[in-house]
Amino acid sequence: MKTFARALCGAVSMIAVTAAAPALAEPKAEVLHYWTSGGEAKAVQALQEAFAARGGEWVDAPVAGGGGDAQAAVLRARVLAGDPPAAVQIKGPNIQEWAEAGALGDLTAVATAQDWDKVLPEAIQNIVKYEGKYVAVPVNVHRVDWIWANPEVLAKVGAEVPTTWEEFNETADKLQAAGIIPLAHGGQPWQDATVFETVVLGIGGTDFYRKALVELDMDALGSDTMIAVFDQMRKMRGYVDPDFPGRDWNLATAMVMRGEAAMQIMGDWAKGEFAAAGKVPGVDYVCASTPSDNGYLLNSDSFAMFNVSGDDNVEGQAVLAELILGTEFQETFNLFKGSIPARTDVPRAEFDDCAIKSMDDMVAAAEGGTLLGSMAHEIAQAGAVRGAFIDVATAHFNSDMSSQDAVDQLVKAIKLAQ
């Protein structure tokens, strides 16, 4: 990604502007994002309305595809053509790489005026800063390691949401015996990787997750613990229905809502789907962390502000940045999206029990050193390394590959990707 990003940015006329520069023009912003499903679409609409209320012209540029891989291709093409959008939904190491390539503006003036350093956890600041300067705006915090369950379906086999992987397997076996799909899943590589990293966290624990998926320790990647991870993944493959290939994640969530499946492992953007359908947490569905040693897998959406020309675009970026991290929008957006605010001082009164649990668990994980970036969702890894993890995880999930062969391939793939 780094080399390609530099090449792309070389094709663009780099204009010395900052997103916070004063301008007299009416604010305008073309926004490239991949929030296209029910709860996500409502969240985007809230930002559009807030931007319009400030006199802004919003140019919507959605790219369907859930995990953002399709959008990344569109972004590269746009930058190569010398026509980057003003604001782009982007996250994790990708922010740092685009900043290193000189493609992003400087949001320091807005950040200083709004005291971002005082309201953002250090872990979030590290994601959206480059060389000490803000180059992106965090919208939210998602927890990835969630189980979403239909309590009525679980009750049919006398079960509750499992708290260990052994319990998960026992419950899934009972559900299958009763003719119920245990796990709603979409057969897309990023979804396979989402399940994979929660299993890594649960089987290996936070220290193992950090060594294997963050630090890329070869001993950890080639260990017996990683073999046990793939053993569990083989079991997970047996708990999904035959029609899972190619299914979008929100359609898998709908299976749980309709009672066609008992559980789904997915980040808390799934909660936005339940909310959009009028479902009530604790009644129509249950949320619980996937089994682990109190780990928390972090995903955070941000908008990076790309270098653009024109006072209207520059002003639009400044207005967007101010709105995105304002307390009002942080509350409104995250209530729709199913996530929690990136800033820590947003009132909790309107948030449901799942969100409050997420807030509490994130604080506890940060204090305990178990707050970890998601590999599958481009916080811990991006580019070729993330791709190597996903390729092996999905190849194993969709074949009869042995756990030992999967581990051997993983070690080889990560070595080549670095």
Side-chain angles (χ1 to χ4, degrees), residues 22 24 50 54 58 67 71 123 133 148 186 214 230 245 256 267 289 297 317 325 327 346 351:
L24 299 176
R54 290 284 295 271
W58 175 291
Q71 181 200 262
K133 296 180 180 180
W148 306 94
V214 180
F230 281 106
V256 177
S289 60
L297 295 187
Q317 289 178 323
L325 209 56
T327 55
V346 176
F351 287 91

Side-chain angles (χ1 to χ4, degrees), residues 87-292:
V88 181
Q89 183 189 355
I90 195 171
K91 57 190 177 182
N94 290 316
I95 295 174
Q96 308 299 313
E97 290 172 356
W98 281 113
E100 183 181 354
L104 302 186
D106 183 359
L107 297 171
T108 299
V110 177
T112 300
Q114 294 192 321
D115 291 326
W116 287 3
D117 281 352
K118 294 182 179 179
V119 298
L120 290 177
E122 184 176 356
I124 303 300
Q125 291 184 38
N126 292 339
I127 294 171
V128 295
K129 281 183 174 181
Y130 177 73
E131 295 184 344
K133 296 180 180 180
Y134 284 96
V135 294
V137 192
V139 181
N140 56 6
V141 170
H142 277 296
R143 184 175 193 169
V144 175
D145 50 315
W146 281 111
I147 293 177
W148 306 94
N150 187 313
E152 289 188 4
V153 174
L154 289 177
K156 291 179 180 179
V157 296
E160 296 182 351
V161 181
T163 58
T164 68
W165 286 109
E166 291 77 9
E167 287 182 8
F168 185 96
N169 296 339
E170 292 172 1
T171 299
D173 289 339
K174 291 179 181 178
L175 289 162
Q176 274 192 329
I180 301 168
I181 299 168
L183 183 65
H185 182 65
Q188 296 170 334
W190 71 270
Q191 293 191 58
D192 297 339
T194 297
V195 176
F196 170 76
E197 69 179 3
T198 65
V199 174
V200 170
L201 179 67
I203 298 293
T206 52
D207 287 343
F208 178 79
Y209 182 98
R210 184 179 291 107
K211 287 180 180 179
L213 271 60
V214 180
E215 299 172 0
L216 308 180
D217 181 273
M218 290 299 156
D219 288 338
L221 290 171
S223 66
D224 289 343
T225 301
M226 189 60 78
I227 290 176
V229 168
F230 281 106
D231 286 345
Q232 178 62 31
M233 287 297 292
R234 176 61 62 230
K235 289 181 177 293
M236 305 295 275
R237 172 63 179 82
Y239 295 143
V240 304
D241 66 292
D243 297 325
F244 81 96
R247 178 186 292 140
D248 288 337
W249 68 268
N250 53 307
L251 299 181
T253 305
M255 292 172 64
V256 177
M257 280 193 273
R258 293 192 298 263
E260 297 172 6
M263 297 174 284
Q264 180 187 23
I265 293 175
M266 185 55 59
D268 52 19
W269 47 92
K271 191 180 67 173
E273 298 300 301
F274 287 104
K279 303 299 182 181
V280 179
V283 177
D284 301 308
Y285 68 96
V286 178
C287 61
S289 60
T290 57
S292 76

